[in-house]
Amino acid sequence: MSANAEIGFVLGGLRCAGCAARVERELRAAPGVSEAAVNFAGSRALVRFDPGQSDVAALATRIESLGYVAHAFDPAASVRPAPTHEARLALARLLVAAFLAGNVMVISFALYFGALGDIDAGLRRGLRALALCLSLPALSWCAAPFWRGAWAGARRRELTLDVPIVLGISTAFVATALGTLREARDVFSDSAATIVFLMLLGRTLERSARARASAAIDALAARAPRRALRRERGALAEVDVEALLAGDRVVVPAGQRLPVDGRLLSPAADLDESLLTGEALPATRRAGELVNGGVLNLSSELELEVTRPASQGTIARLVGLLERAQAQRPELQRAVDRVAAWFAPAVLAVAAATCVGAVLAGSSGVDAALRGAAVLIVACPCALGLGTPAAVAAALGRGAQLGLWFKSGAALERASRIARVLIDKTGTLTWGRLELRQVLCAPTASPERVLELAADALGASSHPIADAVRRAASSRGLAPAGPAERLTLPGLGVEAGALACGSRELLERRGVALDASLAAAATAAREAGDSLAFVADGGKAVGALVLGDSLRPFARAAIQSLGRAGVSCALVSGDDLPAVRRAADAADIGEAIGRATPESKLERVRSELERGVHVAFAGDGINDAAALAAAELGFAFARGSDVTVEAADVVSHDPDLRSLPTALALGRAAMRRIRENLALAVAYNAIAVPLAIAGVIGPLSAALAMSGSSLVVTANALRLQRFGSTR
């Protein structure tokens, strides 16, 4: 392992946000652990630790000492472990509780209808005793998870949320037993078996809903093929994906997903990249282009060269990213966790006061105990603890489906607050690639001749202007065969014998003067923000090439979408101000900042933050990394530099700039759901607890209400799975 190892755990037995916080505290207390985060919605933990001071087995032991189950896994692995034994056991407990509760309910109906008629007293006592006996296994084996959690907390001298539940069902059972012995009326309807069944059913449905909310990780990992066809000495051999190394050649039949990241060797391929970008339309990739693992091959059989092993590929990195994002909670959730930590002692105090008050008011001991049990059960803050992680998990999963990868739940929270965006020009707002806009000609030259001479002079130069000239010449059917020897003059241009192509300073060095009309046209183009490359043949200027960087498709629509959402924009670039101003005008951005260095971009971000502005920075170059890291929210495209992607808080796999307003809108939607869930949880407790204190609802109704509240907030969170893109 590395000096800073990372391991994940699939956790079994988490029953509330308090359980997640407890595991997190225990892991952080372990020797050598630098970071630990537990995702309650996904029942997973992520731990960074020094393997010289601790190991995976020791960390798992610490988790299990709390009464939970822990299965270690690699956060970036494609195969996800599942605690199948615990899942089967939980289902068995639920089914047994259902059987017991069903029989108790049948007995209850028999006693009820018998009371209306003339039931034999001995039979009535026998049926009540039978109902009580059927409640015993429900109270013990079926409710074992609650007992285990309460006992583990008691050993640590800690009041967990399992304590009120255990006291509630125990009180209900004892009250039922006493009522049975005294032959009190209607006590049989509050049998502990039915309460345990309802609580287990609520937990099962809640667990299923939480799994749906965090299913994006498993769905993403499941898309990665486990086998691949590797070309070996002319033949094809089927191998495990983990066996592929950089440089191997892989054949992918039509209709199958690419097993690893690679470079396309086939002439062309149509790929469904919706898994990564959210874009439904297929993308055409050409030979030599990089393609990502997990995308679907829609064309005929293709071949690619592996560039990265599966463990370092796109799917692995994105799975790891989602794991980390779901484990890191927003500040709002941490505040809720601090409040929830006081619930258990508060609930016990209220329940005790309820019992005492009921006795003083003249209620019998059994009625007072049942009233206290109802308070213990109904006041469990599961809805409060579940509302935020369920919404975060659902939002992160929906973002992944749309090609947006938030690095943390906190990034969602910050995205919801953004009021201003600073946008880099080259590569973010624009393509970052020069295009030939116009050919300016001297009176004696034609556009085709000027372009051909420029292509002859520049040849195979790697300069962006040379690339633009070659593409323009090729599109016009020009096939220049320039001289073999060229001299590149940094900052000036290229000389190739009698030919020269470059800046005006280059022509002045060669003593070449510009025609008045050519000079005037060139000056107008420069003032408009375009770049110029002058062309000379011998001692005469024949023309100039006007080049510029075009806006990305839908860039203007993205800026307008931000404006409608109340987000102001400024364009920040290292280019000259006229070029920046031209791009800003084309994109409908009101403010343009030119000649911006990496330091001045960083200073601009800090200035906005100091003024109290919630600012985001969008960029894709290495020189944007500092500003991305400093901004409240950094936004980058996955095809940007590795440094930029690492510094950003949100990464879009689709280079469409409209993903930026979509990311901000998703953050706002997630925070709305979280606030709604917190309001629902508070309203539930504000209504249900007083009703339980007053004796309006009993333990059975309390169990229904408590389970229902958890399901309501989870269902509300799952509405985020229907969030639509702003495109």
Side-chain angles (χ1 to χ4, degrees), residues 440 504 514 516-530 532 534 544:
L440 305 178
R504 188 163 181 172
L514 295 182
S517 60
L518 179 59
T523 300
R526 185 180 296 281
E527 290 175 351
D530 288 320
L532 290 169
F534 294 90

Side-chain angles (χ1 to χ4, degrees), residues 26 66 99 123 156 164 184 302-303 325 331 355-356 442 472 479 508 635 643 670 674 699 713:
E26 185 68 22
L66 302 179
F99 171 79
L123 178 59
R156 297 188 306 274
L302 63 83
E303 187 169 351
E331 179 59 36
C355 290
V356 173
E508 291 173 352
F635 181 91
V643 176
I674 289 174
V713 298

Side-chain angles (χ1 to χ4, degrees), residues 240-331:
D240 288 335
V241 169
E242 286 76 11
L244 296 175
L245 302 174
D248 286 349
R249 293 194 169 193
V250 174
V251 173
V252 183
Q256 293 191 14
R257 294 189 180 274
L258 277 58
V260 287
D261 295 0
R263 190 180 307 278
L264 189 63
L265 299 178
S266 301
D270 290 329
L271 303 176
D272 177 359
E273 299 180 343
S274 58
L275 175 67
L276 304 177
T277 66
E279 176 57 57
L281 295 176
T284 301
R285 302 299 176 197
R286 308 290 179 185
E289 287 193 65
L290 295 176
V291 290
N292 294 315
V295 305
L296 183 65
N297 176 22
L298 299 176
S299 55
S300 58
E301 181 180 280
L302 63 83
E303 187 169 351
L304 59 89
E305 179 185 349
V306 178
T307 54
R308 285 185 293 201
S311 60
Q312 301 172 17
T314 298
I315 293 294
R317 288 186 291 114
L318 294 181
V319 166
L321 182 63
L322 267 182
E323 287 284 3
R324 296 179 188 91
Q326 291 196 10
Q328 296 172 356
R329 295 165 294 168
E331 179 59 36

Side-chain angles (χ1 to χ4, degrees), residues 200 208 404 455 520 545 610 657 661 719:
L200 289 175
S208 174
L404 289 167
L545 305 178
E610 288 171 1
L657 193 60
R719 291 170 57 200

